Amino acid sequence: MPELSWPRGKTLAFSIVTNVEEGSEMSVARGDKKPEPVDELGVALGMPIRNYGNESNYYYGITTGGPRILKLLRERGMVSTFTAAAQALEAAPDLTAEIVADGHEVCSHGWRWTHTFNLDEEAERITIRRAADSIEKTCGVRPSGWLSRYLHTDNTRRLLVEEGFDYHMDDYSRDVPFWERPEGADRSLLCVPYALDTNDMKMWIAPALSPDDWLDYAKKSFDWMRAEAADEGPRMMSVGLHLRIVGRPGRIGALRDLLDYVAGHDDVWIARRSEIAARFAECCPEGGP
């Protein structure tokens, strides 16, 4: 059986996933029937009215939170996979240029940050292709990975294969990548699992959760996975970030402290998800574990 290993003898792959959704969320101005909920305040308006305040709350991620996160990553020489809604990148060319210039990977998070579970096959194919075409135009490279907004259809993974994607992130079931053959597809698709428990979204939907709580949980997860990887074989840890969440001044320090903590361990490979996918495919070709 093929044996997985990370480069240079590292035992834990650490994946920083930075979501870019701002400017593509639900809004009456973009033809939606209602605005995006204001999660930090627990406010949801189920009516066709523009929520200008919430639109500006999201826009903070583009103007301030995003540049703050990018600066932190740049100062520490760390790379991230930016899972981006294509429309958000189109609307923020300066931020997009900075992401690309700093050498980060851009992974498709759909055309917009909206649910697609109710789309028929042709409509879903169109939105997957539209997102990839757009990201290739704005970033210069076609995305090789995909992340849905929570829910997807029975067709999604087969469509990703047909549209040329190498991996997807719509799974939370393991601590290492794995192959799966979507029904009806002519090849397998690599799954590079994501994680919700170490995601900064927890501070958005439960604002009482302090940055220190999030940091403590992430560090405990990191310590456990390092020890397990050294003992039982390679592991991968994901940390999910959002421009409008951890990019806030009261939270960014927790991210700084986490990155510095991770950097203090020489058995850790900080990698883009495309690199993790490529390494896994090299060690464990399609049809492996």
Side-chain angles (χ1 to χ4, degrees):
M1 178 181 293
E3 185 173 341
L4 175 63
S5 65
W6 299 135
R8 304 183 302 280
K10 309 295 185 180
T11 55
L12 178 63
F14 187 78
S15 171
I16 305 165
V17 177
T18 310
N19 294 273
V20 184
E21 301 154 347
E22 296 82 356
S24 67
E25 75 280 0
M26 286 192 300
S27 169
V28 173
R30 285 185 278 274
D32 298 304
K33 296 180 180 178
K34 59 182 179 180
E36 197 72 40
V38 188
D39 291 320
E40 292 221 51
L41 299 177
V43 175
L45 300 174
M47 62 183 75
I49 185 173
R50 283 194 70 175
N51 189 336
Y52 291 97
N54 199 36
E55 289 176 23
S56 70
N57 197 34
Y58 272 74
Y59 193 52
Y60 183 93
I62 299 297
T63 64
T64 310
R68 190 174 277 146
I69 293 170
L70 281 163
K71 180 175 183 286
L72 187 60
L73 292 170
R74 191 182 310 119
E75 289 173 348
R76 279 145 181 80
M78 293 185 177
V79 290
S80 173
T81 291
F82 279 73
T83 49
Q87 187 183 67
L89 295 181
E90 287 188 7
D94 292 343
L95 183 72
T96 301
E98 193 174 350
I99 292 169
V100 173
D102 285 355
H104 302 292
E105 175 195 5
V106 179
C107 168
S108 181
H109 199 12
W111 162 240
R112 290 186 57 199
W113 192 53
T114 54
H115 295 294
T116 57
F117 62 88
N118 57 347
L119 297 180
D120 63 33
E121 180 173 342
E122 188 56 27
E124 185 175 16
R125 184 190 302 278
I126 289 170
T127 194
I128 290 172
R129 186 177 298 170
R130 185 181 185 186
D133 288 346
S134 172
I135 291 172
E136 183 174 21
K137 184 176 180 180
T138 57
C139 300
V141 178
R142 199 168 185 84
S144 62
W146 173 273
L147 173 66
S148 300
R149 181 179 178 179
Y150 311 130
L151 303 173
H152 51 82
T153 75
D154 291 338
N155 299 316
T156 304
R157 293 173 186 179
R158 173 176 54 80
L159 292 173
L160 292 174
V161 168
E162 294 173 1
E163 293 300 317
F165 283 82
D166 295 328
Y167 75 89
H168 77 89
M169 296 167 51
D170 294 332
D171 188 281
Y172 317 103
S173 67
R174 308 188 198 183
D175 292 325
V176 290
F178 62 94
W179 292 105
E180 55 185 4
R181 178 67 70 93
E183 185 176 353
D186 60 5
R187 66 170 171 87
S188 294
L189 182 66
L190 188 60
C191 175
V192 183
Y194 197 29
L196 297 178
D197 61 318
T198 49
N199 197 302
D200 71 355
M201 180 65 75
K202 294 170 73 172
M203 293 185 284
W204 181 258
I205 60 176
L209 179 72
S210 76
D212 288 340
D213 291 334
W214 177 78
L215 172 62
D216 181 65
Y217 185 91
K219 288 170 68 174
K220 281 185 169 67
S221 299
F222 177 79
D223 289 342
W224 188 276
M225 294 189 75
R226 268 192 70 236
E228 197 170 77
D231 221 28
E232 302 177 19
R235 296 289 189 271
M236 179 189 77
M237 176 177 171
S238 299
V239 171
L241 311 175
H242 294 78
L243 310 185
R244 64 190 181 279
I245 303 177
V246 84
R248 295 279 176 176
R251 296 176 180 139
I252 193 72
L255 176 60
R256 175 202 60 207
D257 292 349
L258 176 62
L259 298 183
D260 288 348
Y261 187 71
V262 170
H265 299 82
D266 59 11
D267 54 354
V268 178
W269 178 38
I270 302 172
R272 307 166 187 87
R273 295 181 90 77
S274 57
E275 295 174 300
I276 294 170
R279 176 68 178 191
F280 184 87
E282 177 186 357
C283 292
C284 306
E286 180 180 350

